[in-house]
Amino acid sequence: MLHGDSSQIIREELLNEYKNKIQLIITSPPFPLNYKKKYGNFKGEEYKDWFANLAPLYSDLLTEDGSIVIEIGNSWEPHRPVQSVLHLESLLAFMKAANLNLIQEFICYNPSRLPSPANWVTVNRIRAVDSYTHVWWLSKSDFPKADNRKVLRPYSQGMLNLIKRQSYNTGKRPSGHSIGEKSFLKDNGGGIAHNLLEFEPIESKRINRLPNNITEFVRLNDNPELPSNVLSIANTNSSDYYSKKCRELEIKRHPATMQAGLIAFFTQFLTDENDLILDPFGGSNTTGYISEKLKRRWFSIEIMEEYIEQSIFRFQEPNFETNLIKLKNI
């Protein structure tokens, strides 16, 4: 994990040795907010220019079949109940700056997010809660390395019953699609993941059908009853070892950590063991933690030294297996 400005570190330290060698760049950069955060962030046109200037650096580091995965939230116009389009303009500028393709957009729904923008949601009561973020999957190639068979969700009980009885309602649907007699009878080991990701189920009693190889990083619903049609990732950032250790030592933890399950999903989906992963805005280094668990090589970059110090807790988790050198205690 490297300390400093990510653009500077990439230019001065990484590009010479790691050009075209990084398989996945996954990160949650500062959002285009209309007020200053402790870690520093740009606003308006300044933000769009800053964001677009990152694209050539990332593209140069990426393998030809590599991927960039960026999580970013919405922003609102200053002092107005009007949603900004700055995040969309920034995405287009980012893609244009390095001739990147938008492979697919994912939506991350998180009902635990505080009601925002507060002035228009909880004070004046004229807007709905902004409860999701965008995840953009970008690549230089039309065909980045990806395999959705590595992130299959367990079948719903209904699908398991269908496979068992080997029959279902075939024929033409109102949509015009024709469903063959054997189209859904093969057991493929699970269902293909959807591009709507939940951090808590929309229906409280619905099963969290998370890919089997990601369950190590999240806590699943203990009382599943209803089938899910989306990827449900338990929102466990406040109950993981890192967070507990910060509370124990009365340390103010990073305020906007990426979800471990989200990073694990894309790591499994888009990389293989020993591939190289980079998080240019590492924060408390969830990406490094997940990469280490999944036997990927990794770099993280973070400008706030206190968050780097905190990140050591992740690798001191009991029973955490790693080849890293002995870590110092805080």
Side-chain angles (χ1 to χ4, degrees):
M1 193 172 190
L2 307 175
H3 175 227
D5 177 81
S6 63
S7 297
Q8 182 179 354
I9 288 176
I10 289 172
R11 288 191 187 96
E12 297 179 1
E13 299 185 38
L14 296 186
L15 269 178
N16 286 339
E17 187 172 354
Y18 295 99
K19 187 174 182 178
N20 303 130
K21 292 182 179 180
I22 291 180
Q23 190 64 39
L24 172 63
I25 298 174
I26 183 167
T27 195
S28 181
F31 291 179
L33 305 174
N34 288 308
Y35 53 90
K36 284 288 184 180
K37 286 280 194 177
K38 182 179 179 181
Y39 51 75
N41 57 292
F42 298 104
K43 299 186 291 184
E45 288 297 314
E46 187 182 19
Y47 180 91
K48 185 170 72 173
D49 292 341
W50 168 79
F51 192 67
N53 287 334
L54 298 175
L57 295 176
Y58 294 1
S59 180
D60 284 347
L61 287 173
L62 214 60
T63 62
E64 287 305 309
D65 64 349
S67 293
I68 301 172
V69 174
I70 298 176
E71 181 192 22
I72 201 162
N74 297 311
S75 62
W76 293 72
E77 296 291 345
H79 313 298
R80 298 173 61 197
V82 176
Q83 188 169 320
S84 171
V85 295
L86 179 59
H87 60 293
L88 300 176
E89 292 176 347
S90 299
L91 168 65
L92 295 175
F94 185 92
M95 292 171 57
K96 184 177 180 181
N99 195 29
L100 296 167
N101 302 301
L102 177 60
I103 301 301
Q104 194 167 19
E105 180 181 9
F106 288 70
I107 297 296
C108 285
Y109 166 68
N110 184 358
S112 295
R113 292 186 69 190
L114 293 174
S116 65
N119 191 39
W120 313 122
V121 175
T122 58
V123 179
N124 289 288
R125 300 274 183 163
I126 58 175
R127 295 294 180 267
V129 175
D130 194 1
S131 60
Y132 72 91
T133 57
H134 309 261
V135 176
W136 295 321
W137 172 18
L138 309 167
S139 180
K140 295 190 287 189
S141 164
D142 288 2
F143 298 95
K145 179 161 70 172
D147 188 347
N148 64 28
R149 292 169 297 184
K150 296 193 294 186
V151 286
L152 295 176
R153 301 171 303 143
Y155 284 129
S156 67
Q157 189 58 51
M159 186 63 186
L160 291 173
N161 292 339
L162 183 153
I163 293 172
K164 184 177 180 179
R165 69 173 180 266
Q166 288 291 291
S167 67
Y168 58 93
N169 184 22
T170 64
K172 202 163 188 177
R173 298 293 189 263
S175 63
H177 293 92
S178 183
I179 307 300
E181 294 182 1
K182 298 183 178 180
S183 301
F184 297 100
L185 296 182
K186 183 180 177 181
D187 186 347
N188 292 304
I192 298 172
H194 292 208
N195 68 336
L196 172 61
L197 312 177
E198 294 179 333
F199 289 136
E200 290 178 12
I202 295 173
E203 300 169 79
S204 61
K205 294 184 178 181
R206 192 183 63 213
I207 185 173
N208 288 306
R209 283 168 52 204
L210 190 67
N212 290 328
N213 51 4
I214 297 176
T215 56
E216 178 182 359
F217 309 109
V218 297
R219 174 176 51 82
L220 297 184
N221 192 323
D222 293 327
N223 186 29
E225 292 183 9
L226 300 174
S228 166
N229 65 341
V230 295
L231 178 64
S232 295
I233 301 173
N235 189 6
T236 58
N237 273 356
S238 62
S239 60
D240 61 10
Y241 180 82
Y242 157 76
S243 299
K244 291 177 180 177
K245 194 69 175 178
C246 286
R247 287 196 297 271
E248 177 186 324
L249 297 179
E250 298 183 346
I251 294 174
K252 187 174 181 180
R253 72 181 181 94
H254 192 285
T257 55
M258 282 188 78
Q259 289 287 336
L262 175 65
I263 297 171
F265 172 78
F266 284 104
T267 298
Q268 294 277 24
F269 184 19
L270 306 178
T271 70
D272 296 316
E273 285 191 12
N274 207 41
D275 279 346
L276 188 56
I277 295 174
L278 168 67
D279 187 341
F281 301 96
S284 62
N285 203 14
T286 313
T287 297
Y289 166 77
I290 294 300
S291 298
E292 194 69 23
K293 276 184 171 283
L294 293 175
K295 296 180 174 58
R296 272 65 169 175
R297 297 175 298 134
W298 57 272
F299 284 108
S300 288
I301 305 172
E302 174 53 39
I303 199 167
M304 300 289 290
E305 189 172 4
E306 64 192 86
Y307 296 148
I308 295 177
E309 291 291 322
Q310 294 175 18
S311 76
I312 292 174
F313 297 150
R314 295 195 182 279
F315 303 92
Q316 294 173 333
E317 180 181 277
N319 302 318
F320 183 76
E321 296 182 5
T322 175
N323 291 323
L324 295 173
I325 62 173
K326 186 177 180 180
L327 296 161
K328 69 176 181 177
N329 291 311
I330 294 179

